[in-house]
Amino acid sequence: MKLQMATRLGLYAALELARDPARQLSATDLSERFAVSTNHLAKVLRELGRAGLVEAERGAGGGYRFTGNPRRTTLMDIVALFEEKPGDRASEPGDGTDIGRALGRVLAEVDEIAEATLRSITLETLLKHARQ
């Protein structure tokens, strides 16, 4: 499973903010930490905000803080914000052939396994592993 840059940034930002939900970090702080553009990260943070996972506070000393529940929020909850669903993918050349259909079934199975794994890991669980 290859994740888009926005998805990985969403995971990085959510995990970093969930590490200490009382702490606020600016988009600049987060973009420097992950070596990405502030504008790109700001778009990702807006999407996390629309999902109710982060909250922005404006002004001096403002920033973003995690407002979701790290015990209940799974990696898949965040991935689903940025990635298209496997069934929504556009048809590609070769999909209609017998080999294309057989390969499609295998790739769909791989997607199902990846999704199940991502659904089984909460932010809190991943953060515990990051501390070890």
Side-chain angles (χ1 to χ4, degrees), residues 4-5 29-30 49 53 57 59-60 62 83-84 88 96 98 104 106 122:
Q4 298 179 51
M5 175 63 90
D29 292 335
L30 290 165
L53 294 173
E57 187 171 317
E83 298 288 331
E84 63 184 20
D88 294 343
D98 58 340
V106 170
T122 66

Side-chain angles (χ1 to χ4, degrees), residues 116-132:
T117 301
L118 293 169
R119 284 197 189 288
S120 72
I121 302 171
T122 66
L123 299 188
E124 183 178 81
T125 300
L126 191 73
L127 288 169
K128 282 181 185 172
H129 288 286
R131 291 181 195 121
Q132 296 175 354

Side-chain angles (χ1 to χ4, degrees), residues 40-94:
H40 193 165
L41 188 63
K43 291 177 189 173
V44 168
L45 289 166
R46 276 195 295 274
E47 190 64 30
L48 292 173
R50 280 193 284 272
L53 294 173
V54 302
E55 185 176 87
E57 187 171 317
R58 295 178 186 253
Y64 293 87
R65 67 181 186 85
F66 188 76
T67 56
N69 183 340
R71 291 182 179 162
R72 293 188 166 266
T73 305
T74 68
L75 298 180
M76 189 62 207
D77 292 332
I78 295 167
V79 169
L81 296 174
F82 301 99
E83 298 288 331
E84 63 184 20
K85 294 177 183 161
D88 294 343
R89 290 190 183 132
S91 179
E92 295 183 10

